[in-house]
Each structure stands twice: as structure tokens, then as C-alpha cells.
């Protein structure tokens, strides 16, 4: 299991979602993708998409307006 960091700071939708989708394709089952975002639109869209796809998601707010989204690749 690896943890992979994806920096999407300063990027507005749909860029963080597209980067997340592409990066997940590269990972192995069991890996954790940590998406770092600071845009509220991405904060909604990225976890919503991941959950719809069946991936476990956790969100950590680092400071106001700055989040880590943890997505576990399960398939």
C-alpha cells in the first residue's frame, strides 16, 4: 500500500477532478490518494465523484479553505 500525494492547490474545477480521476487509474488496489485542494467547488465534486464510484473517502480540513481528501483505491 502506498500513499500518493496530488497537489491541486490553486486549481479550480474541473481540473482537480480530472487530475484525481487520471491519478487513480495509475494506482494499485489498496493505495491511498491524498488530494490537496483549496477550492470549495473541488471540495464538493472530488469526494462526491469518488463515493459515487465506490471508493472510501475521508476529508481533513487542514485550515480554513485548505483540505486533504483521502481516497482509497479499492478496485
Amino acid at each position: 500500500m502506498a500513499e500518493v500525494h496530488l497537489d491541486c492547490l490553486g486549481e479550480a474545477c474541473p481540473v482537480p477532478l480530472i487530475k484525481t480521476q487520471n491519478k487513480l487509474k495509475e494506482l494499485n488496489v489498496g493505495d491511498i490518494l491524498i488530494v490537496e485542494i483549496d477550492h470549495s467547488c473541488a471540495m464538493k465534486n472530488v469526494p462526491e465523484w469518488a463515493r459515487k464510484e465506490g471508493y472510501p473517502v475521508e476529508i481533513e480540513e487542514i485550515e480554513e479553505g485548505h483540505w486533504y481528501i483521502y481516497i482509497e483505491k479499492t478496485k
Side-chain angles (χ1 to χ4, degrees), residues 21-72:
Q21 292 169 335
N22 290 337
K23 184 58 80 173
L24 269 174
K25 290 176 188 173
E26 300 172 10
L27 301 183
N28 296 314
V29 171
D31 289 350
I32 305 287
L33 179 61
I34 304 168
V35 185
E36 187 174 4
I37 58 171
D38 60 358
H39 193 270
S40 59
C41 177
M43 175 52 211
K44 178 183 179 293
N45 292 342
V46 171
E48 187 177 273
W49 169 82
R51 287 184 180 115
K52 191 173 87 177
E53 292 295 313
Y55 298 117
V57 176
E58 290 185 29
I59 300 166
E60 179 182 1
E61 187 168 14
I62 304 306
E63 57 188 42
E64 189 168 334
H66 184 178
W67 299 273
Y68 284 161
I69 302 173
Y70 298 86
I71 303 170
E72 182 182 352

